Amino acid sequence: AQKVTQAQTEISVVEKEDVTLDCVYETRDTTYYLFWYKQPPSGELVFLIRRNSFDEQNEISGRYSWNFQKSTSSFNFTITASQVVDSAVYFCALSESYTGNQFYFGTGTSLTVIP
Amino acid sequence: DAGVIQSPRHEVTEMGQEVTLRCKPISGHNSLFWYRQTMMRGLELLIYFNNNVPIDDSGMPEDRFSAKMPNASFSTLKIQPSEPRDSAVYFCASSRTDQNLYEQYFGPGTRLTVT
């Protein structure tokens, strides 16, 4: 079974629109970590954020915000006022304490921001 | 600080040849990961090391693949003999697991083409 599900394969939005990327995870562990990565067309994988299971505070960084809800096992990512430079593939990942620091990646969501 | 360094960035080789990919993790990081990314299979974890010791190599596709980490600052992934289906982008990533810092930092990747 998939530990991390990103149901949205591709999303297109017009510049300046807000967009939310969904991530649903599955774990039996009580201590775990969630991550988001960005992969722009150039190909590198860029770390965006880490969230610990014991910290459900939402986080905002500029136009980016993350909503972590343990009750629904979700860790969603919202980009406000999207820009063309946000066009990329975004990956959500899970790390569980009992399996060490191995990551389980989702299949990614390809975001295209149309000017 | 320098990020994860991978070499070569591009490799084109003929079927049957030996290929060696190299990785230098971020200084001070104690975990190292090798991933493969293709359109069909997405991001796959091949093997990872903690403190230079291989922990999980269950993702290594077959005996043609081998990985070593002789010291904390260097790792290799070798394919011998290479086959066209090995064509992919290979990423190396590193992380430090003390202080509960588990995010992985990725290198730029090696694009391997086997003809």
Side-chain angles (χ1 to χ4, degrees):
Chain A
Q2 275 283 86
K3 284 185 176 284
V4 177
T5 301
Q6 294 181 256
Q8 304 151 308
T9 305
E10 295 181 1
I11 300 176
S12 291
V13 298
V14 176
E15 202 170 20
K16 298 184 183 177
E17 285 185 347
D18 299 348
V19 58
T20 295
L21 310 182
D22 297 333
C23 174
V24 174
Y25 63 92
E26 181 182 334
T27 180
R28 297 181 190 175
D29 208 349
T30 55
T31 300
Y32 53 90
Y33 305 85
L34 296 162
F35 307 83
W36 276 96
Y37 284 80
K38 175 182 180 180
Q39 187 173 38
S42 52
E44 73 272 25
L45 278 149
V46 179
F47 165 69
L48 296 178
I49 190 171
R50 166 178 48 87
R51 215 78 193 119
N52 307 331
S53 55
F54 41 86
D55 181 3
E56 280 193 81
Q57 265 194 323
N58 291 328
E59 180 139 348
I60 298 175
S61 176
R63 296 183 297 105
Y64 294 174
S65 63
W66 291 269
N67 184 290
F68 175 29
Q69 292 200 341
K70 290 175 78 169
S71 60
T72 55
S73 297
S74 64
F75 185 43
N76 297 337
F77 174 25
T78 297
I79 301 175
T80 303
S82 58
Q83 300 176 2
V84 173
V85 293
D86 296 327
S87 296
V89 179
Y90 291 86
F91 291 94
C92 181
L94 165 73
S95 174
E96 299 167 310
S97 64
Y98 75 89
T99 56
N101 47 345
Q102 178 179 346
F103 274 23
Y104 300 95
F105 278 94
T107 51
T109 297
S110 177
L111 172 66
T112 301
V113 180
I114 304 165
Chain B
D1 284 341
V4 176
I5 298 172
Q6 290 186 248
S7 65
R9 295 293 306 276
H10 302 273
E11 177 81 31
V12 180
T13 190
E14 290 184 351
M15 184 173 67
Q17 296 298 306
E18 177 180 298
V19 175
T20 299
L21 311 182
R22 296 173 176 79
C23 175
K24 177 179 170 55
I26 293 172
S27 177
H29 281 194
N30 61 331
S31 292
L32 183 139
F33 306 79
W34 282 101
Y35 291 89
R36 177 171 70 176
Q37 186 178 37
T38 61
M39 290 294 292
M40 291 295 293
R41 293 186 298 268
L43 262 171
E44 302 174 275
L45 176 66
L46 300 177
I47 185 172
Y48 78 94
F49 297 83
N50 275 355
N51 299 314
N52 312 338
V53 176
I55 302 301
D56 185 351
D57 65 354
S58 60
M60 297 285 259
E62 46 199 274
D63 291 346
R64 298 185 296 108
F65 286 68
S66 62
K68 294 182 179 179
M69 191 164 186
N71 58 62
S73 58
F74 184 65
S75 177
T76 59
L77 177 68
K78 186 176 293 186
I79 308 172
Q80 165 65 20
S82 57
E83 296 182 3
R85 59 191 167 127
D86 301 330
S87 296
V89 179
Y90 290 80
F91 288 102
C92 175
S94 70
S95 69
R96 57 180 294 181
T97 54
D98 58 332
Q99 302 175 17
N100 292 327
L101 298 172
Y102 289 96
E103 54 265 29
Q104 296 179 16
Y105 292 89
F106 284 75
T110 295
R111 183 173 295 276
L112 173 65
T113 302
V114 183
T115 61

